[in-house]
Amino acid sequence: MVALADKTIMNIQAKVFFPWRDEYSVHIPEIDTQHRKLVDLINQLQEAMSDGRGRTVIEKVLEGLEAYTKSHFTSEEQLLARHGYPAISAHRSLHQSFVAKLHKFRMDVHSGSISVTVPVMDFLRDWLTEHIIKEDKAYSAHVLGARCQ
């Protein structure tokens, strides 16, 4: 019975566009929770696109993704400021650049000049993955070290 349950879980994960992986954890619970939510929102967008849902549904998901991204980045930047992270300016700049791209993309979808495509979804997934693994993990040790003092 356990083997069947394991296969079911593997099948579900295989169908998910952007599965959460333990390697994405920065070991700061509130940030990991927020990152998981971003992953979920990207998966919702992928699902809406794959299912051929209307532009209104896709726009609503994009609006939620943009709003939550801004909220997460603000929360993350406040955490970095509290812990005196030395590279906060560069980190904030990366956030601002991504929010600007996401906003432009949302506006372009709204105007009908572009649609959600596989390359767009790949960009969202790849950007978040790279950002977490390279940039966020870089601050993780600093913040966790500061918490232990």
Side-chain angles (χ1 to χ4, degrees), residues 50-83:
S50 294
D51 291 349
R53 295 191 200 147
R55 194 171 81 191
T56 304
V57 172
I58 290 172
E59 285 181 30
K60 184 112 176 112
V61 175
L62 270 173
E63 186 178 320
L65 176 61
E66 183 181 353
Y68 194 80
T69 298
K70 289 177 182 177
S71 173
H72 163 65
F73 286 167
T74 297
S75 175
E76 190 174 85
E77 290 165 15
Q78 288 171 347
L79 176 76
L80 298 181
R82 278 195 311 272
H83 292 285

Side-chain angles (χ1 to χ4, degrees), residues 20-22 25 31-41 43 68 128 132:
W20 176 264
R21 293 188 170 91
D22 289 339
S25 176
I31 299 299
D32 283 343
T33 298
Q34 292 171 15
H35 285 163
R36 283 178 182 262
K37 175 69 174 176
L38 288 169
V39 167
D40 287 345
L41 287 166
N43 283 323
Y68 194 80
L128 185 59
I132 291 171

Side-chain angles (χ1 to χ4, degrees), residues 4-52:
L4 181 58
D6 289 344
K7 285 183 180 181
T8 301
I9 290 169
M10 287 173 38
N11 286 338
I12 291 169
Q13 287 178 336
K15 293 178 184 177
V16 174
F17 173 71
F18 186 9
W20 176 264
R21 293 188 170 91
D22 289 339
E23 69 189 272
Y24 302 151
S25 176
V26 294
H27 306 290
I28 301 168
E30 63 267 29
I31 299 299
D32 283 343
T33 298
Q34 292 171 15
H35 285 163
R36 283 178 182 262
K37 175 69 174 176
L38 288 169
V39 167
D40 287 345
L41 287 166
I42 290 171
N43 283 323
Q44 286 175 29
L45 182 60
Q46 170 65 24
E47 186 177 318
M49 181 196 77
S50 294
D51 291 349

Side-chain angles (χ1 to χ4, degrees), residues 40 45 48 114 121 136 144:
D40 287 345
L45 182 60
I114 66 166
M121 293 306 306
D136 291 353
L144 292 172

